[in-house]
Amino acid sequence: MPGELTAVLGPNGAGKSTLLRALACVDRHLETGPSVTLAGLPIHTISPEILAGRLAYLPQREEIAVGFTVREVIALGAAAGGHEDPARAIDHALTRLDLTTLQARPVETLSEGQRQRVGVARVFA
């Protein structure tokens, strides 16, 4: 429902991340049942290409290959989202997460907090 927020709480090792990875179909071997749906379809039957345009998963800590700039990492999200105007989506994400001045910097030179913002911007794009 629009505006609804759901929280998944539990102690370390309880399976919270595994649950979210299964729901996002990040690990295809974690088959989800037909009761988990997206737009009325069982989530495990949706192709990865279509799913990428509807759902994003951002891990707690992400390893990004050396040499990618902030803009290039965000562009990966725009490409997965299938935008008609990827450059506009990238610019919007850069602005929204206050990363415009960092867009040409290699991600490995950023602080941990800045890297997390880049990950969120990639999801937004």
Side-chain angles (χ1 to χ4, degrees), residues 15-33 36 42-44 51 55 57:
K16 300 178 299 291
S17 294
T18 300
L19 171 65
L20 294 175
R21 290 175 65 83
L23 293 175
C25 293
V26 171
D27 290 333
R28 285 286 179 169
H29 73 276
L30 297 173
E31 284 294 317
T32 57
V36 178
I43 200 164
H44 68 276
L51 194 59
L55 182 103
Y57 172 79

Side-chain angles (χ1 to χ4, degrees), residues 15 51 67 76 99 112-113 117:
L51 194 59
L76 295 172
L99 293 167
E112 191 63 33
R117 286 188 3 236

Side-chain angles (χ1 to χ4, degrees), residues 29-82:
H29 73 276
L30 297 173
E31 284 294 317
T32 57
S35 63
V36 178
T37 62
L38 179 65
L41 298 170
I43 200 164
H44 68 276
T45 66
I46 302 171
S47 74
E49 296 79 18
I50 293 173
L51 194 59
R54 302 288 311 270
L55 182 103
Y57 172 79
L58 181 63
Q60 292 176 26
R61 184 166 175 87
E62 183 176 34
E63 296 300 323
I64 298 171
V66 173
F68 282 98
T69 65
V70 168
R71 186 175 189 87
E72 290 168 335
V73 170
I74 296 169
L76 295 172

